[in-house]
């Protein structure tokens, strides 16, 4: 069974690149254009990994992560955060202790896949 | 495209940090923090370069990184050569990032690096002693101790701890010891609450980097990979800081490791390690403490890093044109305030005066903060100066200690860029002509190493920069000869030291006996002086033969706003910078012009004066009483005579345009409160 990944990213080009990279790798990908749309996908179905941007309209990355972690089924799923700023204080505070790893944008696709594969082990 | 620009900026920043690191490392080759920094900087550059297809950058950074990882592992020592190599690489890397083709240079450097490492490697391999066949060992079975102490929230971070251990086990043959298992491991897993410390002994063909890669998602303080080369490594400080091993524990580990890797080197037997003397025990305890301290240090630096990051986040970079615009507006405001004051003159109501005073205070504050924004500390130049000194002193075979002081002194950013060339020139001169060769210095009973001091400070509304060397000092005999040779003065004509220094700074004078690569670049002191004058600064020299020289640059704090004295001469108003006014008094015209010699008595000294009425050839009758103003600019005094002092005015300095430039008795112009223009006097030029 392919693993299910939710990708939340408002910037279209980035999201499309990520989705196509993951699809090629054989993963089952669900896309969301903002945090709110992504949060709605966490409705009890099996989700193995969340990859999310930080700055998004409607619901930002920190709020999304908080919402996901509050649901029993998703307390321990791996979450990868995409950021341009590594460890900016604001982000740091918001999600410290809640995510698995940071992926700094822009990223190289083989590095990205390596991290995703590792998170899904 | 934006990402690329961002990346380029970032890499440049890192290269600068790397340069800084080298400067610190040069002072202490063993500074572990700087070695680590250098490694980290190179690692970052390498890691990101590939993303943007800068493969040459990636390659060079990678090769260089290897050297630092050798140093970090204690396989080699940092030395001047490594620093040179790194600085050279910084230049090449920044060229490549700028899109310049430096491939050939990069390849040359890489081959240098490889040669260096190969030689080292051979030396190590043939050095005999402990580890046999260093090169072979690289590919063979290696042993590691991996100590893992996960934080409590590891599951909440979405990390699957079991899978991390599995991944580690997959690397080779392993054995695990679980410490502090008050709660059974299985139960800890089920309750998602890890309290234990995990110690894994691993024999693998993979590299240390591969092992560390397993812990990609874990924080640095959660694990430690310790290479085990011999039994002695069990008493390694890193190990000791995390786990205490007793005699029994050591034997157990040795048995385990022997099973994992039969070739494991037994440099010391168990008995030898266990039966340590009290002294050794103490040493070990110290080591342990040091290890713990190092851990604390690590935390400390990461905290510092965070602080630095957050500092970065709280600054905004602004285009300099915007800053200039802001300063212009503030300048206009200053003029407008004078105009306002002028309009009110004569019919002031107390409320208005009060309001005006308030406004004045606010404008002053606004002015100060507008200028503050433009200020940049001098230390942006430090690295440039240090690098220049390094390369020049090497080139000349001179040894020199470079000491800086007050590099946090701030100057207008436009001044800093204008200062760069003259400063570099002065330093080059000091190294070339000032500091003697080590041999000569010894003969003169001076330490072999010359001393070059660079310091800066604020005083009044000026900034001073001094460059001091303890070298030759100026040779006035030589300067005089040269001046005669160049026809600047006649043979036997008396010339004071001050005159000679002035001659030295005139166009067409160069003391270098031969054109050297270092200072003889066809640019003389006259250009330095001109550059400094262009930002309204002065250059002064004091010197003592065979003891050294001090070059002092005096700069105005701001380029544009000036406190002036307004003086009247007939119907015109002129401005004199207040900083140049030493004294003023009134005197009867008749008394003043009684003697033909045109001198005034000031503090018991006779001083020539210049009457502005005469100077400007004004024919009208002078007033009965005139005002004498004593001007003092860098200890050169002159007296000038004007009609009367009309007041004090804060004005905005405007440079003169080309047409007026030849009238060098004026340094600039300004607009008065009533909208009329006044010229700023450059009093010293009135002399002739």
């Amino acid at each position: 069974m392919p693993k299910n990944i939710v990708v939340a990213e408002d910037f279209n080009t980035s999201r499309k690149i990520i989705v196509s990279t993951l699809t090629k790798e054989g993963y089952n990908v669900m896309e969301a254009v903002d945090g709110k749309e992504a949060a709605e996908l966490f409705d009890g179905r099996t989700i193995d990994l969340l990859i999310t941007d930080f700055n998004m309209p409607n619901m930002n990355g920190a709020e999304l992560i908080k919402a996901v972690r509050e649901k029993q089924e998703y307390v321990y799923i791996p979450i990868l955060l995409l950021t341009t700023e590594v460890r900016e204080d604001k982000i740091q505070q918001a999600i410290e202790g809640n995510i698995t790893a940071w992926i700094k944008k822009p990223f190289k696709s083989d590095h990205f896949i390596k991290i995703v594969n590792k998170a899904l082990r | 495209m934006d990402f690329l620009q961002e990346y380029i900026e970032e890499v440049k920043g890192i290269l600068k940090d790397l340069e800084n690191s080298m400067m610190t490392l040069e002072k202490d080759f063993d500074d572990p923090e700087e070695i680590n920094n250098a490694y980290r900087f190179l690692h970052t550059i390498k890691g990101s370069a590939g993303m943007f297809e800068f493969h040459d950058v990636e390659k060079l950074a990678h090769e260089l990184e290897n050297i630092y990882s050798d140093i970090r592992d204690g396989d080699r020592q940092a030395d001047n050569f490594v620093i040179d190599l790194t600085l050279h690489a910084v230049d090449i890397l920044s060229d490549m990032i700028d899109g310049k083709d430096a491939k050939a240079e990069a390849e040359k450097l890489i081959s240098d690096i490889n040669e260096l490492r190969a030689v080292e490697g051979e030396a190590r391999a043939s050095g005999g002693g402990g580890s046999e066949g260093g090169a072979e060992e690289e590919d063979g079975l290696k042993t590691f101790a991996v100590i893992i102490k996960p934080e409590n929230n590891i599951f909440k971070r979405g990390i699957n701890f079991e899978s991390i251990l599995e991944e580690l086990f997959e690397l080779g043959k392993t054995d695990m010891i679980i410490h502090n298992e008050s709660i059974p491991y299985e139960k800890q897993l089920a309750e998602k609450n890890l309290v234990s410390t995990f110690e894994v002994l691993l024999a693998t063909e993979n590299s240390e980097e591969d092992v560390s890669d397993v812990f990609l998602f874990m924080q640095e303080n959660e694990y430690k990979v310790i290479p085990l080369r011999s039994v002695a490594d069990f008493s390694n400080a890193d190990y000791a800081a995390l786990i205490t091993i007793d005699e029994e524990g050591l034997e157990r580990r040795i048995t385990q490791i022997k099973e994992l890797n039969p070739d494991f080197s037994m440099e010391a037997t168990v008995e030898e390690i266990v039966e340590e003397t009290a002294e050794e025990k103490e040493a070990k305890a110290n080591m342990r403490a040091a290890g713990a301290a190092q851990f604390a240090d690590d935390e400390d630096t990461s905290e510092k890093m965070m602080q630095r990051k957050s500092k970065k986040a709280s600054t905004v970079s602004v285009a300099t044109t915007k800053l200039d615009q802001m300063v212009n507006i503030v300048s206009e405001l200053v003029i407008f305030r004078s105009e306002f004051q002028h309009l009110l003159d004569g019919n002031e109501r107390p409320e208005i005066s009060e309001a005006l005073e308030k406004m004045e205070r606010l404008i002053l504050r606004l002015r100060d903060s507008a200028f503050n924004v433009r200020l940049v500390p001098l230390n942006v130049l430090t690295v440039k100066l240090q690098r220049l000194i390094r390369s020049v002193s090497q080139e000349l075979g001179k040894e020199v200690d470079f000491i800086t002081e007050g590099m946090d002194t701030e100057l207008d950013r436009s001044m800093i860029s204008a200062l760069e060339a003259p400063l570099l020139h002065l330093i080059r001169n000091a190294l070339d002509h000032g500091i003697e060769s080590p041999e000569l210095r010894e003969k003169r009973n001076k330490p072999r190493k010359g001393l070059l001091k660079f310091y800066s400070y604020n005083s009044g509304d000026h900034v001073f920069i001094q460059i001091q060397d303890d070298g030759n000092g100026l040779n006035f005999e030589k300067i005089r000869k040269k001046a005669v040779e160049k026809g600047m003065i006649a043979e036997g004509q008396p010339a004071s030291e001050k005159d000679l220094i002035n001659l030295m700074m005139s166009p067409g004078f160069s003391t270098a006996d031969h054109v050297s690569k270092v200072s003889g670049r066809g640019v003389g002191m006259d250009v330095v002086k001109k550059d400094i004058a262009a930002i309204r600064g002065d250059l002064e020299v004091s010197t003592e033969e065979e003891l050294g020289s001090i070059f002092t640059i005096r700069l105005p704090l701001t380029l544009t706003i000036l406190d002036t004295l307004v003086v009247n001469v007939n119907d015109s108003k002129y401005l004199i910078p207040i900083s140049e006014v030493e004294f003023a008094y009134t005197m009867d015209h008749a008394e003043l012009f009684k003697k033909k010699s045109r001198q005034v008595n000031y503090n018991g000294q006779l001083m020539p004066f210049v009457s502005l009425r005469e100077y400007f050839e004004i024919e009208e009758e002078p007033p009965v009483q005139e005002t004498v103003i004593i001007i003092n600019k860098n200890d050169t005094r002159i007296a000038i005579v004007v009609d009367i002092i009309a007041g004090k005015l804060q004005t905005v300095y405007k440079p003169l345009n080309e047409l007026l430039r030849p009238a060098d008795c004026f340094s600039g112009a300004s607009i008065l409160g009533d909208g009329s223009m006044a010229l700023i006097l450059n009093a010293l030029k009135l002399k002739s």
Side-chain angles (χ1 to χ4, degrees):
Chain A
M1 252 262 293
K3 300 260 172 118
N4 297 320
I5 303 177
V6 170
V7 175
E9 159 74 272
D10 59 325
F11 188 58
N12 288 333
T13 328
S14 298
R15 191 180 62 252
K16 278 176 191 147
I17 292 171
I18 294 170
V19 170
S20 91
T21 313
L22 293 173
T23 314
K24 255 185 248 160
E25 206 55 23
Y27 292 118
N28 184 24
V29 187
M30 288 166 268
E31 303 177 46
V33 297
D34 59 33
K36 197 161 165 280
E37 212 178 286
E40 280 160 11
L41 290 168
F42 288 82
D43 56 2
R45 70 181 93 185
T46 310
I47 293 172
D48 303 293
L49 171 68
L50 166 64
I51 299 173
T52 177
D53 187 21
F54 186 78
N55 290 311
M56 289 182 295
N58 294 327
M59 193 185 226
N60 72 21
E63 291 158 341
L64 170 63
I65 290 165
K66 190 163 171 275
V68 169
R69 287 281 186 241
E70 269 167 9
K71 293 187 182 158
Q72 194 53 44
E73 307 95 302
Y74 310 113
V75 179
Y76 301 118
I77 72 157
I79 297 178
L80 302 177
L81 185 75
L82 306 166
T83 65
T84 36
E85 268 307 308
V86 181
R87 310 210 163 201
E88 196 184 296
D89 271 7
K90 187 179 69 178
I91 304 184
Q92 180 90 355
Q93 272 176 14
I95 43 79
E96 182 67 85
N98 263 327
I99 61 157
T100 311
W102 308 76
I103 299 177
K104 191 174 187 295
K105 287 194 291 192
F107 47 79
K108 239 165 114 180
S109 69
D110 53 351
H111 174 70
F112 176 69
I113 284 298
K114 179 179 158 190
I115 291 182
V116 169
N117 286 342
K118 195 171 166 59
L120 285 169
R121 258 184 75 101
Chain B
M1 245 10 220
D2 271 349
F3 283 151
L4 180 62
Q5 199 48 48
E6 202 177 290
Y7 166 74
I8 289 173
E9 289 304 314
E10 196 176 359
V11 170
K12 282 190 173 162
I14 295 172
L15 286 173
K16 231 176 226 139
D17 290 343
L18 181 59
E19 251 183 339
N20 276 325
S21 247
M22 289 304 110
M23 296 308 153
T24 318
L25 194 59
E26 194 180 20
K27 291 191 192 105
D28 175 11
F29 291 137
D30 293 325
D31 188 335
E33 196 184 321
E34 287 311 328
I35 290 166
N36 218 359
N37 282 343
Y39 176 82
R40 197 164 42 81
F41 294 145
L42 287 163
H43 191 82
T44 312
I45 292 170
K46 179 187 83 173
S48 54
M51 228 188 309
F52 293 94
E53 312 280 317
F54 281 115
H55 295 300
D56 294 333
V57 170
E58 187 178 7
K59 200 163 161 225
L60 179 54
H62 172 74
E63 297 292 339
L64 204 56
E65 181 193 344
N66 280 338
I67 293 189
Y68 285 93
S69 89
D70 287 352
I71 296 173
R72 220 174 45 161
D73 296 345
D75 287 341
R76 91 181 330 276
Q77 257 272 303
D79 53 26
N80 266 320
F81 187 70
V82 169
I83 292 173
D84 282 343
L85 214 63
T86 312
L87 289 174
H88 189 185
V90 166
D91 292 340
I92 295 176
L93 287 170
S94 73
D95 276 355
M96 290 196 291
I97 287 289
D98 277 337
K100 285 183 206 146
D101 181 25
K103 202 174 168 143
E105 273 178 84
E107 265 161 19
K108 164 89 180 53
L109 191 62
I110 288 175
S111 84
D112 284 352
I113 293 171
N114 284 335
E115 204 173 300
L116 176 77
R117 294 191 77 226
V119 171
E120 285 298 304
E122 262 167 47
R124 237 181 303 145
S126 59
S131 54
E132 317 106 63
E136 244 179 49
E137 215 179 65
E138 287 293 300
D139 308 320
L141 207 54
K142 289 180 288 287
T143 40
F144 297 95
V146 184
I147 298 164
I148 314 158
K149 175 82 192 79
E151 283 200 353
N152 232 323
N153 67 355
I154 187 159
F155 294 104
K156 275 198 157 168
R157 289 180 352 232
I159 293 171
N160 185 345
F161 184 68
E162 275 183 279
S163 110
I164 286 182
L165 285 184
E166 269 167 36
E167 205 179 330
L168 186 63
F169 297 158
E170 282 166 19
L171 287 180
K173 284 205 264 180
T174 52
D175 221 327
M176 181 162 78
I177 305 164
I178 301 180
H179 299 267
N180 182 22
E181 210 183 350
S182 50
I183 305 167
Y185 172 54
E186 305 298 328
K187 203 173 170 206
Q188 291 182 43
L189 278 184
E191 288 174 355
K192 307 275 187 206
N193 179 28
L194 289 179
V195 294
S196 297
T197 301
F198 304 83
E199 179 185 359
V200 178
L201 299 176
L202 165 72
T204 177
E205 309 219 320
N206 290 292
S207 69
E208 184 177 343
E209 210 180 330
D210 293 332
V211 179
S212 294
D213 248 11
V214 170
F215 302 97
L216 196 62
F217 294 159
M218 289 180 68
Q219 292 158 13
E220 267 175 47
N221 59 355
E222 290 183 305
Y223 70 94
K224 189 107 209 158
V225 178
I226 305 166
L228 294 176
R229 293 184 191 85
S230 76
V231 175
D233 283 334
F234 281 115
S235 47
N236 163 315
D238 277 346
Y239 221 121
L242 294 165
I243 287 165
T244 321
I245 305 173
D246 57 10
E247 184 183 336
E248 200 184 318
L250 184 63
E251 266 186 81
R252 199 171 92 197
R253 281 176 182 79
I254 290 169
T255 323
Q256 283 172 326
I257 213 106
K258 273 276 171 196
E259 257 169 51
L260 298 172
N261 180 6
D263 296 331
F264 190 70
S265 150
M266 297 287 288
E267 257 176 24
T269 63
V270 187
E271 288 77 15
E272 273 168 348
I273 289 185
V274 175
E275 282 176 24
E276 55 194 0
T277 61
E279 226 173 278
E280 277 170 326
K281 258 193 187 135
E282 199 188 325
K284 206 164 146 185
N286 285 342
M287 232 159 74
R288 213 167 286 171
Q294 205 184 335
F295 255 72
D297 270 350
D298 282 352
E299 257 178 47
D300 209 49
T301 45
S302 69
E303 210 169 81
K304 266 188 222 149
M305 283 280 300
M306 285 298 304
Q307 276 171 359
R308 227 173 61 187
K309 280 261 159 65
S310 63
K311 233 188 203 164
K312 260 188 193 159
S314 65
T315 60
V316 184
S317 50
V318 177
T320 48
T321 50
K322 284 189 188 171
L323 289 181
D324 292 343
Q325 199 184 5
M326 187 161 108
V327 169
N328 277 339
I329 293 173
V330 173
S331 302
E332 296 291 326
L333 200 57
V334 170
I335 292 173
F336 178 68
R337 188 188 60 84
S338 313
E339 198 181 321
F340 205 71
Q341 182 90 56
H342 180 80
L343 285 174
L344 279 174
D345 268 352
N347 48 16
E348 274 170 65
R349 294 217 322 257
E351 311 91 272
I352 297 181
S353 300
E354 214 171 278
L356 198 64
E357 231 168 74
K358 248 186 215 164
M359 186 169 93
E360 180 174 349
R361 272 201 302 273
L362 285 175
I363 290 178
L364 280 181
R365 272 171 61 188
L366 181 63
R367 181 197 75 173
D368 287 348
S369 42
F371 280 104
N372 238 325
V373 173
R374 290 174 54 92
L375 294 182
V376 177
L378 258 179
N379 58 27
V380 297
L381 289 176
T382 314
V383 170
K384 266 201 186 120
L385 300 179
Q386 283 171 327
R387 284 198 68 176
L388 177 84
I389 288 165
R390 257 184 81 78
S391 65
V392 171
S393 54
Q394 266 174 16
E395 208 171 292
L396 295 169
K398 291 178 181 176
E399 294 167 29
V400 62
D401 268 330
F402 181 54
I403 295 175
T404 57
E405 230 171 81
M407 293 305 274
D408 49 356
T409 308
E410 290 181 318
L411 274 174
D412 194 281
R413 58 181 311 131
S414 59
M415 268 196 252
I416 296 239
S417 45
L419 267 177
E420 196 178 316
L423 284 180
L424 293 183
H425 192 90
L426 286 174
I427 284 182
R428 228 183 256 131
N429 271 347
L431 289 170
D432 197 6
H433 307 308
I435 306 275
E436 312 92 330
S437 64
E439 298 72 36
L440 182 55
R441 290 183 65 86
E442 268 177 355
K443 252 186 239 159
R444 286 183 176 169
N445 279 329
K446 292 181 183 179
R448 277 179 72 85
K449 256 190 173 177
L451 183 67
L452 189 60
K453 259 175 106 177
F454 184 101
Y455 43 97
S456 180
Y457 52 92
N458 278 313
S459 174
D461 52 0
H462 283 87
V463 171
F464 290 82
I465 296 174
Q466 297 193 302
I467 296 171
Q468 179 182 4
D469 67 70
D470 68 343
N472 280 315
L474 294 179
N475 184 336
F476 287 109
E477 215 23 65
K478 219 165 156 186
I479 294 174
R480 157 184 281 284
K481 252 196 209 156
K482 190 91 180 180
V484 171
E485 224 172 84
K486 299 256 167 189
M488 295 165 121
I489 50 169
E491 184 95 57
Q493 180 185 335
S496 67
E497 293 190 348
K498 208 165 183 175
D499 293 339
L500 288 171
I501 288 173
N502 279 333
L503 283 174
M504 183 184 80
M505 294 185 190
S506 327
F509 186 97
S510 163
T511 51
D513 296 330
H514 53 92
V515 173
S516 75
K517 201 176 149 199
V518 178
S519 47
R521 287 175 197 226
V523 185
M525 285 298 290
D526 59 314
V527 178
V528 172
K529 192 168 175 147
K530 216 180 91 199
D531 283 352
I532 293 170
I535 46 174
R536 298 204 292 126
D538 302 302
L539 176 63
E540 255 195 276
V541 189
S542 66
T543 183
E544 198 71 54
E545 208 169 342
E546 293 197 11
L547 283 179
S549 316
I550 303 177
F551 287 80
T552 306
I553 300 171
R554 193 177 78 137
L555 297 161
L557 255 188
T558 71
L559 273 179
T560 49
I561 292 199
L562 206 58
D563 283 312
T564 58
L565 210 58
V566 187
V567 298
N568 287 357
V569 178
N570 206 21
D571 291 333
S572 312
K573 285 186 163 66
Y574 296 95
L575 304 172
I576 303 170
I578 279 190
S579 55
E580 294 174 9
V581 175
E582 183 170 307
F583 197 70
Y585 58 97
T586 54
M587 209 171 169
D588 284 346
H589 176 80
E591 177 76 12
L592 204 51
F593 287 82
K594 200 167 61 186
K595 276 189 241 160
K596 265 247 143 61
S597 62
R598 292 290 151 84
Q599 283 180 323
V600 287
N601 188 327
Y602 172 64
N603 277 353
Q605 240 186 347
L606 283 177
M607 193 185 282
F609 68 79
V610 177
S611 158
L612 289 188
R613 275 185 176 266
E614 280 184 351
Y615 193 86
F616 296 133
E617 293 165 9
I618 295 165
E619 313 246 303
E620 275 141 89
E621 200 51 32
V624 180
Q625 262 206 337
E626 289 186 297
T627 303
V628 180
I629 298 172
I630 309 291
I631 305 275
N632 177 354
K633 202 172 175 189
N634 298 339
D635 285 333
T636 305
R637 288 191 181 80
I638 182 176
I640 60 171
V641 176
V642 299
D643 291 0
I644 195 167
I645 294 174
K648 209 181 95 178
L649 185 72
Q650 191 177 62
T651 56
V652 178
Y653 171 88
K654 304 263 183 215
L656 293 175
N657 80 17
E658 288 298 329
L659 281 174
L660 275 169
R661 198 60 59 74
D664 62 0
C665 59
F666 301 118
S667 61
S670 187
I671 295 164
L672 299 178
D674 60 5
S676 65
M677 198 197 76
L679 292 161
I680 300 167
L681 282 174
N682 188 1
L684 289 192
K685 294 283 178 191
L686 295 171
K687 226 173 181 174
S688 48

